[in-house]
Amino acid sequence: MPSGPPAQPYAGVGPYTSPIPVRRTHLGNALASEWTKIKSVRSTIWTLGVMVALVIGIGLLVAATTNDADYGSVPTTLPGFFGTLLGQLCVVTLGVLVITSEYGTGMIRTTLTASPQRSRVLTAKALVFFTLSFTTTTVSLALVAYASMGMHGGPDVPEPTGDEILGATVGAGLYVSLLGLLSLAVGAILRHSAGAITTMLGVVLLPAILPAFLMMSDSLRDLGEKMLEYSSPQSLASLFRLDESLNSGWPQLSALAVVTAGAMIAAYALLEKRDV
């Protein structure tokens, strides 16, 4: 059998240069990606659609079925409160699904492969979700507030102050959006849709229910009163100035912001440490 010259090792022709322009990615790319995701899935349309329907529908119904005499001691912006009590649950659900749906389908692996900077991905999700939920909620509340103010006016109806209008629109919108952002953080920590939604329902509902039992005991009365003060229904009632005995609602809003920030820090830390 003839023998030829010994095989030579492959010699490269130098570093490869792609004909496609390559540039470094940044947060703007992650934001564009997350915006495409959140506007493309049905869960966003259903949850925000139901939230808008509840806030506007119930708010306008309350405004239409009340008369001027009902607003002697409460601001005419109050009707938005009733729909927000239910609408906040829709935002909580969407906040969880923004991240847990990717864990459920396995798409989170693709996301983190395309964008290995995990903190950037979570930041983009948080910014896109918070902006969308805050805008949608605040616009819905403003529509109800100004519609109610238009239906009820006159010399016998006190005109809402700037603080009352701000609390019933921007304040309540911030509260609901922060609650949704807290849900996103819990979803990132638990990585399971049902578990995270159940946890957040407990966070929203238990502080409004437990005080009734805690205040039956003299030793736990103070705890029950404080828990009731910072519960979601009481916080929203304060922002809407439901009762003159309530505070402005901004302390509860600040407390929620602190809790949400702590949950987001924990979510960032766990996302960097755990396997996908």
Side-chain angles (χ1 to χ4, degrees):
M1 183 175 182
S3 60
Q8 298 294 324
Y10 173 76
V13 293
Y16 172 75
T17 302
S18 172
I20 302 174
V22 178
R23 58 185 178 86
R24 294 179 63 85
T25 58
H26 48 77
L27 180 61
N29 302 123
L31 289 171
S33 173
E34 294 304 327
W35 170 243
T36 301
K37 291 178 190 176
I38 200 169
K39 72 178 182 179
S40 303
V41 294
R42 294 179 181 177
S43 59
T44 303
I45 298 172
W46 279 106
T47 51
L48 288 185
V50 171
M51 187 275 292
V52 170
L54 288 171
V55 172
I56 295 179
I58 296 177
L60 294 181
L61 180 63
V62 172
T65 54
T66 51
N67 52 54
D68 293 350
D70 296 323
Y71 297 94
S73 58
V74 295
T76 52
T77 55
L78 181 64
F81 165 74
F82 302 99
T84 308
L85 283 177
L86 295 175
Q88 64 179 339
L89 300 180
C90 300
V91 178
V92 164
T93 302
L94 179 60
V96 170
L97 293 178
V98 163
I99 189 163
T100 57
S101 60
E102 290 199 51
Y103 280 103
T105 59
M107 278 298 295
I108 191 67
R109 299 184 182 90
T110 305
T111 298
L112 296 182
T113 299
S115 180
Q117 297 88 352
R118 298 186 177 191
S119 60
R120 179 188 295 175
V121 172
L122 186 56
T123 299
K125 287 182 180 294
L127 288 175
V128 169
F129 167 75
F130 182 83
T131 303
L132 178 62
S133 59
F134 174 72
T135 302
T136 305
T137 307
T138 303
V139 169
S140 301
L141 288 169
L143 177 62
V144 174
Y146 284 101
S148 179
M149 290 165 59
M151 293 179 187
H152 304 286
D156 298 329
V157 180
E159 187 173 345
T161 64
D163 287 342
E164 289 172 340
I165 296 175
L166 188 66
T169 55
V170 176
L174 274 174
Y175 188 90
V176 172
S177 301
L178 282 173
L179 204 57
L181 191 59
L182 176 61
S183 305
L184 190 152
V186 171
I189 293 170
L190 299 182
R191 302 192 294 183
H192 190 273
S193 298
I197 291 174
T198 302
T199 299
M200 285 307 303
L201 288 178
V203 169
V204 173
L205 299 177
L206 283 181
I209 298 172
L210 283 181
F213 301 96
L214 294 177
M215 288 189 288
M216 295 174 64
S217 170
D218 291 337
S219 60
L220 298 175
R221 180 176 297 276
D222 291 341
L223 175 61
E225 291 176 350
K226 186 59 67 175
M227 185 179 294
L228 182 62
E229 179 183 357
Y230 283 87
S231 65
S232 176
Q234 192 85 341
S235 300
L236 288 172
S238 299
L239 288 166
F240 278 92
R241 306 297 198 275
L242 185 62
D243 194 315
E244 292 182 355
S245 63
L246 300 174
N247 60 28
S248 63
W250 297 104
Q252 289 95 323
L253 186 62
S254 300
L256 178 60
V258 171
V259 172
T260 302
M264 286 298 297
I265 291 172
Y268 276 111
L270 290 174
L271 185 63
E272 293 290 348
K273 292 176 62 176
R274 294 189 301 199
D275 292 333
V276 178

